[in-house]
Amino acid sequence: MSKRFTAGAVATAAALALTAAGLGVPASAAPSTSRTFTVVAEDGFAADTAVAAIQAAGGTVVSRSDEVGMFQVTSDRADFAAKATAAPSLIGAAEQKAIGRKPKLDRVEQEHLMTASVAAGSAARRGAKMDPLDDKLWGLEMIRADKARKVEPGDRRVTVGVLDTGVDASNPDIAPNFNWALSRNFAPDRTDVDGPCEVPSCLDAVGTDDGGHGTHVAGTIGAAANGFGLSGVAPNVSLVELKGGQDSGYFFLDPVVSALVYAGRSGIDVVNMSFYVDPWLYNCTANPADSPEAQAEQRAIIKAMKRALVFAHNKGVTLVGALGNNHEDLGAPRTDTSSPDYGADPYPRPIDNNSCWDLPTEGPHVIGVSSVGPSGKKSDFSNYGTEQISVAAPGGWFRDGFGTDTFRTYANEILSSYPKHVLQEEGSVDADGNVVAGFEESVFKQCKPNGECGYYTYLQGTSMASPHAAGVAALIVSRYGKPQGRGGFGLSPDQVEQHLYRTAAEHACPEPRLQQYRNEGRDESFDAYCAGGLNFNGFYGYGIVDAYAAVTTPLKPNARP
């Protein structure tokens, strides 16, 4: 039976037809005039009708995801995108180019590497020492994860997908919890952004991470509490690599959507999404500043992403996303002067809040997480706003603690696992695997008696806040989940979300409500106004996630926050 695509919940009967990588054309393919597009079908049209329209426009379908009405297409016609957009059964064609990015050297996340001076005094903070480096994890104490694990350390049956740049499963803190059977790579290397491929197929092996970001996220969620290195929020859950990002940090539409569809089909319980969307900071349906081609591309991205998020949610996936590092009220966005940031020069784009989306965090069913520093203040870089925020969590803030000896110290950030070879590329670990002089307070090496070593470093950002919340979500599923058909185990994402909100530690807006960061060296563009009350406001949402309250407060079925 032909499948039709609806604007609401997406039907699930059709089979998924994807290549092993989630992409139809390998990055190693020989140069040609052929280009690759992601084409999205309009609501209400059968898949066969969409395929026929693609063919009529001069395209060849090389892979398809019927669950979300998305097709990967190659064409050597210069006018293919225009013809596809004109077809009634198609929304548009997005040429395969970066739509999401976590830059390799992020000016927010790696601020400590770009500052002229770092204050002394980044020693271990207070905190229950569990694994050797846990006394540096102020975030675990803030959300009471150290106490929560005594009640619920996580259930091995609970799976957390890390939709990111990969996961280094060789780290001794990641290895015990890494789920090899479910992990997948949907993003083969592309030489135009990633450099030469490491393997002939350009498809990196599962369990590797050439970017580092995904491994850091994974450690915060579920590094094992094994007396080695450090531990995560939910140290007994299973970690699933969903590689949807390139080694360089870019995220393409097709791998991201394919990873979300796979998560839904595979019964993943929680998916963390610590990335943001570009080349358009905001994807808009019809921004007058954009060309007709750019408008059609953005409409296709919006539709595919929303369908994928709805599909995953309806299949039982709790979706957690970073709110973003643009120090912006997402309900009142500024003029975008940074887009497109790939493939063309940026230009000013006034943003209409009603027709533009920052995806995935503004997508359906996504729990949006802001970042706070050790003091509990909103990190200066963190996005905010009552329209999109759900909860807050420790994301680090290098500049926290003005007037104290902790100001501008590494320990204000988030310490987690990181691949050795990426640290070597960044210059903080030498060829012999030793920490380079001058990096002893920001990079840590831990080794077992058998010579097996793990490496750890600091980052900051809403990308680091989101996995704290994802870890708490995983603990909720572990504590209150029920057996589900064919030996499965899980909990409705609506129940997970409601319980996460209900048990978060309420945090009032600061006084004055208009927060300025002049002492921290920030200009007026960082000024942020906190709207709302104690129960819910623009800086903290329903509050700072609380792992201990989440596993000790009885679940209320169908409760609303």
Side-chain angles (χ1 to χ4, degrees), residues 360-407:
T361 192
E362 292 192 305
H365 307 297
V366 178
I367 298 169
V369 187
S370 69
S371 170
V372 299
S375 68
K377 290 182 66 176
K378 183 188 81 69
S379 308
D380 58 5
F381 54 77
S382 179
N383 285 349
Y384 59 98
T386 55
E387 183 176 288
Q388 297 300 336
I389 194 172
S390 302
V391 290
W397 183 23
F398 180 66
R399 304 185 187 211
D400 202 357
F402 177 76
T404 74
D405 60 2
T406 64
F407 180 56

Side-chain angles (χ1 to χ4, degrees), residues 109-140:
E109 293 181 359
Q110 294 178 304
E111 182 181 359
H112 62 271
L113 296 182
M114 290 169 283
T115 189
S117 62
V118 179
S122 46
R125 294 181 174 272
R126 67 193 185 282
K129 188 177 177 75
M130 297 169 284
D131 283 0
L133 296 175
D134 281 356
D135 58 0
K136 303 180 187 301
L137 306 186
W138 57 269
L140 286 188

Side-chain angles (χ1 to χ4, degrees), residues 60-77:
T60 300
V61 175
V62 294
S63 71
R64 56 195 280 181
S65 179
D66 285 2
E67 284 86 345
V68 295
M70 189 180 76
F71 307 85
Q72 186 167 135
V73 176
T74 59
S75 178
D76 57 5
R77 292 189 58 130

Side-chain angles (χ1 to χ4, degrees), residues 101-104 165 190 193-194 210-211 245-250:
R101 175 173 60 94
K102 187 270 132 195
K104 215 158 198 180
T165 59
R190 291 181 52 87
V193 292
D194 299 321
D210 291 329
Q246 306 302 129
D247 297 346
S248 53
Y250 288 95

Side-chain angles (χ1 to χ4, degrees), residues 178-203:
F178 190 76
N179 189 315
W180 290 93
L182 287 177
S183 294
R184 296 288 187 276
N185 180 356
F186 296 93
D189 290 345
R190 291 181 52 87
T191 56
D192 58 336
V193 292
D194 299 321
C197 296
E198 292 88 355
V199 295
S201 67
C202 289
L203 185 67

Side-chain angles (χ1 to χ4, degrees), residues 203-270:
L203 185 67
D204 294 339
V206 163
T208 62
D209 179 10
D210 291 329
H213 192 261
T215 302
H216 199 280
V217 166
T220 296
I221 295 169
N226 54 2
F228 177 90
L230 49 73
S231 59
V233 174
N236 280 11
V237 299
S238 294
L239 298 170
V240 179
E241 175 188 345
L242 300 175
K243 180 172 166 54
Q246 306 302 129
D247 297 346
S248 53
Y250 288 95
F251 284 75
F252 291 85
L253 178 63
D254 192 87
V256 170
V257 170
S258 296
L260 286 169
V261 171
Y262 172 81
R265 289 174 57 83
S266 301
I268 305 298
D269 294 294
V270 180

Side-chain angles (χ1 to χ4, degrees), residues 41-52:
E42 273 284 9
D43 293 331
F45 285 89
D48 289 346
T49 302
V51 170

